[in-house]
Amino acid sequence: MAEALALIDYGAGNLHSVHNALKAAGARHIAVTADPELVRGARRIVLPGVGSYRACMQGLKAIPGMVEALEARVLEDGVPFLGICVGMQLLATRGVEHGVTRGLGWIAGEVRPIERTDPAIKVPHMGWNDVNPAHHHDGSELIEPGEAYFLHSYHFEAEEGHHVAAMTDHGGGLVAAVARDNILGVQFHPEKSQAYGLDLLGRFLEWKP
């Protein structure tokens, strides 16, 4: 029987907290897995990520068949997918942290360092900040206005504006969420965002793109 949700374990995620948050949001069957075959049978997929872009992408590619399983299930079969923090950033074409690293390339763009245009702006961007939905987008029904918890020094620059599902302000606009078809990525941490984050995860669990 297919697992309802695959939470990808590639050595780069806050798995315990994400697992608990998904459970609290209503997920009944969660497989924390590094098995591509389980991923191929999943009905929903969550890719967390903590650390550097390069290390996370290398960790994902180090699991034989994992990238191919994700591409088959998400891009070909169209199951709902959620990327969190660096898991969202890996959707980009490339990242430049510790040198240029090719990403999954599911949403065209580049992950670049946050620029300090004002000495009062701190990097990393850490703490609670507003999430402002872009209501024109495919994934906008999942993103509500509110406050979420952020922790990042790099940000997603999308090539196409219609892929931006939400923005936040930290010395200027930063992408808070990207989306395309059945794919949603959030820069903030739903698992650390209390009621706001649990509500988002609950909507994701019910999402039928």
Side-chain angles (χ1 to χ4, degrees):
M1 178 180 176
E3 290 289 346
L5 187 150
L7 177 57
I8 309 301
D9 180 5
Y10 62 114
N14 188 9
L15 291 172
H16 182 71
S17 295
V18 176
H19 178 277
N20 287 346
L22 285 165
K23 190 173 180 181
R28 295 185 179 182
H29 303 290
I30 305 170
V32 179
T33 184
D35 184 347
E37 291 307 309
L38 280 179
V39 173
R40 288 179 182 274
R43 296 172 186 164
R44 296 178 190 274
I45 297 172
V46 176
L47 182 69
V50 175
S52 77
Y53 188 101
R54 170 165 284 189
C56 287
M57 194 65 214
Q58 288 176 340
L60 194 63
K61 291 173 67 175
I63 303 172
M66 180 58 80
V67 171
E68 292 79 4
L70 288 168
E71 290 175 344
R73 199 65 177 129
V74 178
L75 301 184
E76 296 174 20
D77 298 340
V79 303
F81 172 94
L82 173 63
I84 297 173
C85 196
V86 183
M88 168 264 219
Q89 294 181 355
L90 295 183
L91 299 173
T93 310
R94 60 191 165 272
V96 300
E97 189 173 5
H98 305 309
V100 176
T101 302
R102 292 196 64 81
L104 292 170
W106 296 358
I107 295 179
E110 184 170 272
V111 176
R112 303 191 56 79
I114 298 172
E115 295 183 9
R116 295 186 62 181
T117 56
D118 182 334
I121 299 302
K122 297 186 181 300
V123 177
H125 174 209
M126 179 172 63
W128 292 85
N129 208 339
D130 290 339
V131 176
N132 302 304
H135 291 293
H136 63 281
H137 197 275
D138 290 345
S140 63
E141 69 269 23
L142 294 179
I143 305 292
E144 297 286 343
E147 282 191 316
Y149 186 86
F150 291 80
L151 177 56
H152 62 118
S153 298
Y154 286 72
H155 68 110
F156 196 126
E157 290 188 354
E159 290 186 12
E160 301 290 341
H162 63 271
H163 287 152
V164 176
M167 296 289 292
T168 192
D169 184 11
H170 186 66
L174 297 177
V175 171
V178 294
R180 168 198 154 196
D181 304 322
N182 56 305
I183 299 167
L184 175 68
V186 295
Q187 182 62 72
F188 54 87
H189 287 271
E191 75 280 8
K192 296 181 179 180
S193 298
Q194 300 178 10
Y196 180 83
L198 293 181
D199 287 346
L200 170 69
L201 294 176
R203 289 191 295 273
F204 171 73
L205 295 172
E206 299 294 328
W207 190 30
K208 296 178 181 178

CSV table of all heavy atoms in Angstrom, one decimal, residues 130-192:
chain,number,residue,atom,x,y,z
A,130,ASP,N,6.6,38.9,8.3
A,130,ASP,CA,5.4,38.8,7.6
A,130,ASP,C,5.5,37.9,6.3
A,130,ASP,O,6.6,37.9,5.7
A,130,ASP,CB,4.9,40.2,7.1
A,130,ASP,CG,4.4,41.1,8.3
A,130,ASP,OD1,4.1,40.5,9.3
A,130,ASP,OD2,4.4,42.3,8.1
A,131,VAL,N,4.4,37.2,6.0
A,131,VAL,CA,4.3,36.5,4.7
A,131,VAL,C,3.2,37.1,4.0
A,131,VAL,O,2.0,37.2,4.4
A,131,VAL,CB,4.0,35.0,5.0
A,131,VAL,CG1,3.8,34.3,3.6
A,131,VAL,CG2,5.2,34.4,5.7
A,132,ASN,N,3.5,37.7,2.8
A,132,ASN,CA,2.5,38.4,2.0
A,132,ASN,C,2.2,37.6,0.7
A,132,ASN,O,3.1,37.6,-0.2
A,132,ASN,CB,3.0,39.8,1.7
A,132,ASN,CG,3.3,40.6,2.9
A,132,ASN,OD1,2.4,40.8,3.8
A,132,ASN,ND2,4.6,41.1,3.1
A,133,PRO,N,1.1,37.0,0.6
A,133,PRO,CA,0.8,36.2,-0.6
A,133,PRO,C,0.7,37.0,-1.9
A,133,PRO,O,0.4,38.1,-1.9
A,133,PRO,CB,-0.6,35.5,-0.3
A,133,PRO,CG,-0.8,35.7,1.2
A,133,PRO,CD,0.0,37.0,1.5
A,134,ALA,N,1.1,36.3,-3.0
A,134,ALA,CA,0.9,36.9,-4.3
A,134,ALA,C,-0.3,36.1,-4.9
A,134,ALA,O,-0.1,34.9,-5.3
A,134,ALA,CB,2.2,36.7,-5.2
A,135,HIS,N,-1.4,36.7,-4.9
A,135,HIS,CA,-2.7,35.9,-5.1
A,135,HIS,C,-2.9,35.5,-6.6
A,135,HIS,O,-3.8,34.8,-6.9
A,135,HIS,CB,-3.9,36.8,-4.6
A,135,HIS,CG,-3.9,36.9,-3.2
A,135,HIS,ND1,-4.2,35.8,-2.3
A,135,HIS,CD2,-3.7,38.0,-2.4
A,135,HIS,CE1,-4.1,36.2,-1.1
A,135,HIS,NE2,-3.9,37.5,-1.1
A,136,HIS,N,-2.0,35.9,-7.5
A,136,HIS,CA,-2.1,35.6,-8.9
A,136,HIS,C,-1.6,34.2,-9.2
A,136,HIS,O,-1.7,33.7,-10.3
A,136,HIS,CB,-1.3,36.6,-9.7
A,136,HIS,CG,0.1,36.6,-9.5
A,136,HIS,ND1,0.7,37.2,-8.4
A,136,HIS,CD2,1.2,36.0,-10.1
A,136,HIS,CE1,2.0,37.0,-8.4
A,136,HIS,NE2,2.3,36.3,-9.5
A,137,HIS,N,-1.0,33.5,-8.2
A,137,HIS,CA,-0.2,32.3,-8.5
A,137,HIS,C,-1.0,31.0,-8.2
A,137,HIS,O,-1.9,31.0,-7.4
A,137,HIS,CB,1.1,32.3,-7.7
A,137,HIS,CG,2.0,31.3,-8.3
A,137,HIS,ND1,2.0,29.9,-8.0
A,137,HIS,CD2,2.9,31.4,-9.3
A,137,HIS,CE1,2.8,29.3,-8.7
A,137,HIS,NE2,3.4,30.2,-9.5
A,138,ASP,N,-0.5,29.9,-8.9
A,138,ASP,CA,-1.1,28.6,-8.8
A,138,ASP,C,-1.2,28.2,-7.3
A,138,ASP,O,-2.2,27.5,-6.9
A,138,ASP,CB,-0.3,27.6,-9.6
A,138,ASP,CG,-0.4,27.7,-11.1
A,138,ASP,OD1,-1.3,28.5,-11.5
A,138,ASP,OD2,0.4,27.2,-11.8
A,139,GLY,N,-0.2,28.4,-6.6
A,139,GLY,CA,-0.1,27.9,-5.2
A,139,GLY,C,-0.6,28.9,-4.2
A,139,GLY,O,-0.5,28.6,-3.0
A,140,SER,N,-1.2,30.0,-4.6
A,140,SER,CA,-1.6,31.0,-3.7
A,140,SER,C,-2.7,30.6,-2.7
A,140,SER,O,-2.8,31.2,-1.6
A,140,SER,CB,-2.0,32.3,-4.4
A,140,SER,OG,-3.2,32.0,-5.2
A,141,GLU,N,-3.5,29.6,-3.1
A,141,GLU,CA,-4.6,29.2,-2.2
A,141,GLU,C,-4.0,28.5,-0.9
A,141,GLU,O,-4.7,28.4,0.1
A,141,GLU,CB,-5.5,28.2,-2.9
A,141,GLU,CG,-4.9,26.8,-3.2
A,141,GLU,CD,-4.3,26.8,-4.6
A,141,GLU,OE1,-3.9,27.8,-5.1
A,141,GLU,OE2,-4.1,25.7,-5.1
A,142,LEU,N,-2.7,28.1,-0.9
A,142,LEU,CA,-2.1,27.5,0.2
A,142,LEU,C,-1.5,28.5,1.2
A,142,LEU,O,-1.3,28.2,2.3
A,142,LEU,CB,-1.0,26.5,-0.2
A,142,LEU,CG,-1.4,25.3,-1.0
A,142,LEU,CD1,-0.2,24.5,-1.3
A,142,LEU,CD2,-2.4,24.5,-0.2
A,143,ILE,N,-1.2,29.7,0.7
A,143,ILE,CA,-0.5,30.7,1.4
A,143,ILE,C,-1.4,31.8,1.9
A,143,ILE,O,-2.1,32.5,1.1
A,143,ILE,CB,0.6,31.4,0.6
A,143,ILE,CG1,1.6,30.4,0.0
A,143,ILE,CG2,1.4,32.4,1.5
A,143,ILE,CD1,2.4,29.6,1.0
A,144,GLU,N,-1.6,31.9,3.2
A,144,GLU,CA,-2.4,33.0,3.9
A,144,GLU,C,-1.4,34.0,4.4
A,144,GLU,O,-0.3,33.8,4.7
A,144,GLU,CB,-3.2,32.4,5.0
A,144,GLU,CG,-4.2,31.3,4.6
A,144,GLU,CD,-5.4,31.9,3.9
A,144,GLU,OE1,-5.6,33.2,4.0
A,144,GLU,OE2,-6.1,31.2,3.2
A,145,PRO,N,-1.9,35.3,4.5
A,145,PRO,CA,-1.1,36.3,5.1
A,145,PRO,C,-0.9,36.0,6.6
A,145,PRO,O,-1.8,35.5,7.2
A,145,PRO,CB,-1.9,37.6,4.9
A,145,PRO,CG,-3.3,37.1,4.6
A,145,PRO,CD,-3.2,35.8,4.0
A,146,GLY,N,0.2,36.4,7.1
A,146,GLY,CA,0.5,36.1,8.5
A,146,GLY,C,2.0,36.3,8.8
A,146,GLY,O,2.7,36.8,8.0
A,147,GLU,N,2.4,35.7,10.0
A,147,GLU,CA,3.8,35.8,10.4
A,147,GLU,C,4.3,34.3,10.5
A,147,GLU,O,3.7,33.4,11.0
A,147,GLU,CB,3.9,36.5,11.7
A,147,GLU,CG,3.8,38.0,11.6
A,147,GLU,CD,4.3,38.6,12.9
A,147,GLU,OE1,3.9,38.1,14.0
A,147,GLU,OE2,5.0,39.6,12.9
A,148,ALA,N,5.6,34.2,10.0
A,148,ALA,CA,6.2,32.9,10.0
A,148,ALA,C,7.7,33.1,10.5
A,148,ALA,O,8.2,34.2,10.5
A,148,ALA,CB,6.2,32.2,8.7
A,149,TYR,N,8.3,31.9,10.8
A,149,TYR,CA,9.6,32.0,11.4
A,149,TYR,C,10.6,31.7,10.2
A,149,TYR,O,10.6,30.6,9.6
A,149,TYR,CB,9.8,30.9,12.5
A,149,TYR,CG,11.2,31.0,13.2
A,149,TYR,CD1,11.4,31.9,14.2
A,149,TYR,CD2,12.2,30.3,12.7
A,149,TYR,CE1,12.6,32.1,14.8
A,149,TYR,CE2,13.5,30.4,13.3
A,149,TYR,CZ,13.7,31.3,14.4
A,149,TYR,OH,14.9,31.4,15.0
A,150,PHE,N,11.6,32.6,10.1
A,150,PHE,CA,12.6,32.5,9.0
A,150,PHE,C,14.0,32.3,9.6
A,150,PHE,O,14.3,32.8,10.7
A,150,PHE,CB,12.7,33.8,8.2
A,150,PHE,CG,11.5,34.0,7.3
A,150,PHE,CD1,10.3,34.5,7.8
A,150,PHE,CD2,11.5,33.7,5.9
A,150,PHE,CE1,9.2,34.8,7.0
A,150,PHE,CE2,10.4,33.9,5.1
A,150,PHE,CZ,9.3,34.5,5.6
A,151,LEU,N,14.9,31.6,8.9
A,151,LEU,CA,16.3,31.5,9.3
A,151,LEU,C,17.1,31.1,8.0
A,151,LEU,O,17.1,30.0,7.6
A,151,LEU,CB,16.5,30.4,10.4
A,151,LEU,CG,17.9,30.1,10.8
A,151,LEU,CD1,18.6,31.4,11.3
A,151,LEU,CD2,18.0,29.1,11.9
A,152,HIS,N,17.6,32.2,7.4
A,152,HIS,CA,18.4,31.9,6.2
A,152,HIS,C,19.3,33.1,5.8
A,152,HIS,O,19.0,34.2,6.2
A,152,HIS,CB,17.4,31.6,5.0
A,152,HIS,CG,16.5,32.8,4.6
A,152,HIS,ND1,16.5,33.4,3.4
A,152,HIS,CD2,15.5,33.4,5.4
A,152,HIS,CE1,15.6,34.4,3.4
A,152,HIS,NE2,15.0,34.4,4.6
A,153,SER,N,20.4,32.8,5.1
A,153,SER,CA,21.3,33.8,4.7
A,153,SER,C,21.3,34.0,3.2
A,153,SER,O,21.9,34.9,2.6
A,153,SER,CB,22.7,33.5,5.1
A,153,SER,OG,22.8,33.5,6.6
A,154,TYR,N,20.6,33.0,2.5
A,154,TYR,CA,20.5,33.0,1.0
A,154,TYR,C,19.0,33.1,0.7
A,154,TYR,O,18.2,32.6,1.4
A,154,TYR,CB,21.2,31.8,0.4
A,154,TYR,CG,22.7,31.9,0.5
A,154,TYR,CD1,23.4,31.8,1.7
A,154,TYR,CD2,23.4,32.1,-0.7
A,154,TYR,CE1,24.8,31.9,1.7
A,154,TYR,CE2,24.8,32.2,-0.7
A,154,TYR,CZ,25.5,32.1,0.5
A,154,TYR,OH,26.9,32.2,0.5
A,155,HIS,N,18.7,33.6,-0.5
A,155,HIS,CA,17.3,33.7,-0.9
A,155,HIS,C,17.2,33.3,-2.4
A,155,HIS,O,18.1,33.3,-3.2
A,155,HIS,CB,16.8,35.2,-0.7
A,155,HIS,CG,17.5,36.2,-1.6
A,155,HIS,ND1,16.8,36.8,-2.6
A,155,HIS,CD2,18.7,36.7,-1.7
A,155,HIS,CE1,17.6,37.6,-3.3
A,155,HIS,NE2,18.8,37.6,-2.7
A,156,PHE,N,15.9,33.0,-2.7
A,156,PHE,CA,15.6,32.5,-4.0
A,156,PHE,C,15.2,33.7,-4.9
A,156,PHE,O,14.3,34.4,-4.6
A,156,PHE,CB,14.4,31.5,-3.9
A,156,PHE,CG,14.1,30.6,-5.1
A,156,PHE,CD1,14.0,29.3,-4.9
A,156,PHE,CD2,13.9,31.2,-6.3
A,156,PHE,CE1,13.7,28.4,-6.0
A,156,PHE,CE2,13.6,30.4,-7.4
A,156,PHE,CZ,13.5,29.0,-7.2
A,157,GLU,N,15.9,33.8,-6.0
A,157,GLU,CA,15.6,34.8,-7.0
A,157,GLU,C,15.0,34.1,-8.2
A,157,GLU,O,15.7,33.4,-9.0
A,157,GLU,CB,16.8,35.6,-7.5
A,157,GLU,CG,17.3,36.6,-6.4
A,157,GLU,CD,18.4,37.5,-7.0
A,157,GLU,OE1,18.8,37.3,-8.2
A,157,GLU,OE2,18.9,38.4,-6.2
A,158,ALA,N,13.6,34.1,-8.3
A,158,ALA,CA,12.9,33.4,-9.4
A,158,ALA,C,13.1,34.2,-10.7
A,158,ALA,O,13.0,35.4,-10.7
A,158,ALA,CB,11.5,33.2,-9.0
A,159,GLU,N,13.2,33.5,-11.8
A,159,GLU,CA,13.3,34.1,-13.1
A,159,GLU,C,12.0,34.6,-13.6
A,159,GLU,O,11.9,35.6,-14.3
A,159,GLU,CB,13.9,33.1,-14.1
A,159,GLU,CG,15.4,32.9,-13.9
A,159,GLU,CD,16.0,32.0,-15.0
A,159,GLU,OE1,15.3,31.8,-16.1
A,159,GLU,OE2,17.1,31.5,-14.9
A,160,GLU,N,10.9,33.9,-13.2
A,160,GLU,CA,9.6,34.2,-13.6
A,160,GLU,C,8.7,34.7,-12.4
A,160,GLU,O,8.6,34.0,-11.5
A,160,GLU,CB,8.9,33.0,-14.3
A,160,GLU,CG,9.6,32.5,-15.5
A,160,GLU,CD,9.6,33.4,-16.7
A,160,GLU,OE1,8.7,34.3,-16.7
A,160,GLU,OE2,10.4,33.3,-17.6
A,161,GLY,N,8.2,35.9,-12.5
A,161,GLY,CA,7.4,36.4,-11.4
A,161,GLY,C,6.2,35.6,-11.0
A,161,GLY,O,5.8,35.6,-9.9
A,162,HIS,N,5.6,34.9,-12.0
A,162,HIS,CA,4.4,34.1,-11.7
A,162,HIS,C,4.7,32.9,-10.8
A,162,HIS,O,3.8,32.2,-10.4
A,162,HIS,CB,3.7,33.7,-12.9
A,162,HIS,CG,4.4,32.8,-13.9
A,162,HIS,ND1,5.2,33.3,-14.9
A,162,HIS,CD2,4.5,31.5,-13.9
A,162,HIS,CE1,5.8,32.3,-15.5
A,162,HIS,NE2,5.3,31.2,-15.0
A,163,HIS,N,6.0,32.6,-10.7
A,163,HIS,CA,6.4,31.5,-9.8
A,163,HIS,C,6.5,31.9,-8.3
A,163,HIS,O,6.7,31.1,-7.4
A,163,HIS,CB,7.7,30.9,-10.2
A,163,HIS,CG,7.6,30.0,-11.5
A,163,HIS,ND1,8.6,29.8,-12.4
A,163,HIS,CD2,6.5,29.4,-12.0
A,163,HIS,CE1,8.2,29.1,-13.4
A,163,HIS,NE2,7.0,28.8,-13.2
A,164,VAL,N,6.4,33.2,-8.1
A,164,VAL,CA,6.5,33.7,-6.7
A,164,VAL,C,5.2,33.7,-6.1
A,164,VAL,O,4.2,34.3,-6.5
A,164,VAL,CB,7.1,35.2,-6.7
A,164,VAL,CG1,7.1,35.7,-5.3
A,164,VAL,CG2,8.5,35.2,-7.3
A,165,ALA,N,5.0,32.9,-5.0
A,165,ALA,CA,3.7,32.7,-4.3
A,165,ALA,C,3.6,33.6,-3.1
A,165,ALA,O,2.5,33.9,-2.7
A,165,ALA,CB,3.6,31.3,-3.9
A,166,ALA,N,4.7,34.1,-2.6
A,166,ALA,CA,4.6,35.0,-1.4
A,166,ALA,C,6.0,35.7,-1.3
A,166,ALA,O,7.0,35.2,-1.7
A,166,ALA,CB,4.3,34.3,-0.1
A,167,MET,N,5.9,36.9,-0.6
A,167,MET,CA,7.1,37.7,-0.4
A,167,MET,C,7.1,38.1,1.1
A,167,MET,O,6.1,38.0,1.8
A,167,MET,CB,7.1,39.0,-1.2
A,167,MET,CG,7.1,38.8,-2.7
A,167,MET,SD,8.7,38.3,-3.3
A,167,MET,CE,9.7,39.7,-2.9
A,168,THR,N,8.4,38.4,1.6
A,168,THR,CA,8.5,39.0,2.9
A,168,THR,C,9.5,40.2,2.7
A,168,THR,O,10.1,40.4,1.7
A,168,THR,CB,9.1,38.0,3.9
A,168,THR,OG1,9.0,38.5,5.2
A,168,THR,CG2,10.5,37.6,3.6
A,169,ASP,N,9.6,41.0,3.8
A,169,ASP,CA,10.4,42.2,3.7
A,169,ASP,C,11.5,42.1,4.7
A,169,ASP,O,11.2,42.1,5.9
A,169,ASP,CB,9.6,43.5,3.9
A,169,ASP,CG,10.4,44.7,3.7
A,169,ASP,OD1,11.5,44.7,3.2
A,169,ASP,OD2,9.8,45.8,4.1
A,170,HIS,N,12.8,42.2,4.3
A,170,HIS,CA,13.9,42.2,5.2
A,170,HIS,C,15.0,43.1,4.5
A,170,HIS,O,15.9,42.6,3.8
A,170,HIS,CB,14.5,40.8,5.4
A,170,HIS,CG,15.5,40.8,6.5
A,170,HIS,ND1,15.3,41.1,7.8
A,170,HIS,CD2,16.9,40.5,6.4
A,170,HIS,CE1,16.4,40.9,8.5
A,170,HIS,NE2,17.4,40.6,7.7
A,171,GLY,N,14.8,44.4,4.7
A,171,GLY,CA,15.7,45.4,4.0
A,171,GLY,C,15.4,45.4,2.6
A,171,GLY,O,16.3,45.7,1.7
A,172,GLY,N,14.2,45.0,2.2
A,172,GLY,CA,13.8,44.9,0.8
A,172,GLY,C,13.1,43.6,0.6
A,172,GLY,O,13.0,42.7,1.5
A,173,GLY,N,12.5,43.4,-0.5
A,173,GLY,CA,11.7,42.2,-0.7
A,173,GLY,C,12.5,40.9,-0.9
A,173,GLY,O,13.5,40.9,-1.6
A,174,LEU,N,12.1,39.9,-0.2
A,174,LEU,CA,12.7,38.5,-0.4
A,174,LEU,C,11.5,37.6,-0.6
A,174,LEU,O,10.4,37.7,-0.1
A,174,LEU,CB,13.4,38.1,0.9
A,174,LEU,CG,14.6,38.9,1.4
A,174,LEU,CD1,15.1,38.4,2.7
A,174,LEU,CD2,15.7,38.9,0.3
A,175,VAL,N,11.8,36.6,-1.5
A,175,VAL,CA,10.8,35.6,-1.8
A,175,VAL,C,10.6,34.7,-0.6
A,175,VAL,O,11.5,34.1,0.0
A,175,VAL,CB,11.3,34.7,-3.0
A,175,VAL,CG1,10.3,33.5,-3.2
A,175,VAL,CG2,11.3,35.6,-4.3
A,176,ALA,N,9.3,34.6,-0.2
A,176,ALA,CA,9.0,33.7,1.0
A,176,ALA,C,8.4,32.4,0.5
A,176,ALA,O,8.5,31.4,1.3
A,176,ALA,CB,7.9,34.4,1.9
A,177,ALA,N,7.9,32.3,-0.7
A,177,ALA,CA,7.4,31.0,-1.2
A,177,ALA,C,7.4,31.1,-2.7
A,177,ALA,O,7.2,32.1,-3.4
A,177,ALA,CB,6.0,30.8,-0.7
A,178,VAL,N,7.6,29.9,-3.3
A,178,VAL,CA,7.5,29.7,-4.8
A,178,VAL,C,6.6,28.6,-5.0
A,178,VAL,O,6.4,27.7,-4.2
A,178,VAL,CB,8.9,29.4,-5.4
A,178,VAL,CG1,9.8,30.6,-5.3
A,178,VAL,CG2,9.5,28.2,-4.8
A,179,ALA,N,6.0,28.6,-6.2
A,179,ALA,CA,5.0,27.5,-6.6
A,179,ALA,C,4.9,27.4,-8.1
A,179,ALA,O,5.2,28.3,-8.8
A,179,ALA,CB,3.7,27.8,-6.0
A,180,ARG,N,4.6,26.1,-8.4
A,180,ARG,CA,4.4,25.8,-9.8
A,180,ARG,C,3.6,24.5,-9.9
A,180,ARG,O,4.0,23.5,-9.3
A,180,ARG,CB,5.7,25.6,-10.6
A,180,ARG,CG,5.6,25.0,-11.9
A,180,ARG,CD,6.9,24.4,-12.4
A,180,ARG,NE,6.6,23.4,-13.4
A,180,ARG,CZ,7.6,22.5,-13.8
A,180,ARG,NH1,8.8,22.5,-13.2
A,180,ARG,NH2,7.2,21.5,-14.6
A,181,ASP,N,2.4,24.6,-10.5
A,181,ASP,CA,1.6,23.4,-10.6
A,181,ASP,C,1.3,22.7,-9.3
A,181,ASP,O,0.7,23.3,-8.4
A,181,ASP,CB,2.2,22.5,-11.7
A,181,ASP,CG,2.4,23.1,-13.0
A,181,ASP,OD1,1.5,24.0,-13.4
A,181,ASP,OD2,3.4,22.9,-13.6
A,182,ASN,N,1.9,21.5,-9.1
A,182,ASN,CA,1.8,20.7,-7.9
A,182,ASN,C,2.9,20.9,-6.9
A,182,ASN,O,3.1,20.1,-5.9
A,182,ASN,CB,1.7,19.2,-8.2
A,182,ASN,CG,2.9,18.8,-9.0
A,182,ASN,OD1,3.2,19.3,-10.1
A,182,ASN,ND2,3.5,17.7,-8.6
A,183,ILE,N,3.7,21.9,-7.1
A,183,ILE,CA,5.0,22.1,-6.4
A,183,ILE,C,4.9,23.4,-5.6
A,183,ILE,O,4.6,24.5,-6.1
A,183,ILE,CB,6.2,22.2,-7.3
A,183,ILE,CG1,6.4,20.9,-8.1
A,183,ILE,CG2,7.5,22.5,-6.5
A,183,ILE,CD1,7.3,21.0,-9.3
A,184,LEU,N,5.1,23.3,-4.3
A,184,LEU,CA,5.2,24.5,-3.4
A,184,LEU,C,6.5,24.5,-2.6
A,184,LEU,O,6.9,23.4,-2.1
A,184,LEU,CB,4.0,24.5,-2.4
A,184,LEU,CG,4.0,25.6,-1.3
A,184,LEU,CD1,3.8,27.0,-2.0
A,184,LEU,CD2,3.0,25.4,-0.3
A,185,GLY,N,7.2,25.6,-2.5
A,185,GLY,CA,8.3,25.7,-1.7
A,185,GLY,C,8.2,26.9,-0.8
A,185,GLY,O,7.8,28.0,-1.2
A,186,VAL,N,8.6,26.8,0.5
A,186,VAL,CA,8.5,27.9,1.4
A,186,VAL,C,9.9,28.1,2.1
A,186,VAL,O,10.5,27.2,2.5
A,186,VAL,CB,7.4,27.7,2.5
A,186,VAL,CG1,6.0,27.6,1.9
A,186,VAL,CG2,7.7,26.4,3.3
A,187,GLN,N,10.3,29.4,2.1
A,187,GLN,CA,11.6,29.7,2.7
A,187,GLN,C,11.5,29.7,4.2
A,187,GLN,O,12.5,29.3,4.9
A,187,GLN,CB,12.0,31.1,2.3
A,187,GLN,CG,13.3,31.6,2.8
A,187,GLN,CD,14.5,30.7,2.3
A,187,GLN,OE1,14.8,30.8,1.1
A,187,GLN,NE2,15.0,29.9,3.1
A,188,PHE,N,10.4,30.0,4.8
A,188,PHE,CA,10.2,29.9,6.2
A,188,PHE,C,10.1,28.5,6.7
A,188,PHE,O,9.9,27.5,5.9
A,188,PHE,CB,9.1,30.8,6.7
A,188,PHE,CG,7.7,30.5,6.0
A,188,PHE,CD1,6.9,29.5,6.5
A,188,PHE,CD2,7.4,31.2,4.8
A,188,PHE,CE1,5.7,29.2,5.9
A,188,PHE,CE2,6.2,30.9,4.2
A,188,PHE,CZ,5.3,29.9,4.7
A,189,HIS,N,10.0,28.3,8.0
A,189,HIS,CA,9.9,27.0,8.6
A,189,HIS,C,8.5,26.8,9.2
A,189,HIS,O,8.2,27.3,10.3
A,189,HIS,CB,10.9,26.8,9.8
A,189,HIS,CG,12.3,26.7,9.3
A,189,HIS,ND1,12.9,25.4,9.0
A,189,HIS,CD2,13.3,27.6,9.0
A,189,HIS,CE1,14.1,25.6,8.6
A,189,HIS,NE2,14.4,26.9,8.6
A,190,PRO,N,7.6,26.1,8.5
A,190,PRO,CA,6.3,25.9,9.1
A,190,PRO,C,6.3,25.2,10.4
A,190,PRO,O,5.5,25.4,11.3
A,190,PRO,CB,5.6,25.0,8.0
A,190,PRO,CG,6.4,25.2,6.8
A,190,PRO,CD,7.8,25.5,7.2
A,191,GLU,N,7.3,24.3,10.6
A,191,GLU,CA,7.4,23.5,11.8
A,191,GLU,C,7.8,24.3,13.0
A,191,GLU,O,7.6,23.9,14.2
A,191,GLU,CB,8.4,22.3,11.7
A,191,GLU,CG,9.8,22.7,11.7
A,191,GLU,CD,10.4,23.2,10.4
A,191,GLU,OE1,9.6,23.5,9.4
A,191,GLU,OE2,11.6,23.4,10.3
A,192,LYS,N,8.3,25.6,12.8
A,192,LYS,CA,8.6,26.5,13.9
A,192,LYS,C,7.7,27.7,13.9
A,192,LYS,O,7.9,28.6,14.7
A,192,LYS,CB,10.1,27.0,13.7
A,192,LYS,CG,11.1,25.9,13.8
A,192,LYS,CD,12.5,26.4,13.6
A,192,LYS,CE,13.6,25.3,13.8
A,192,LYS,NZ,14.9,25.9,13.6
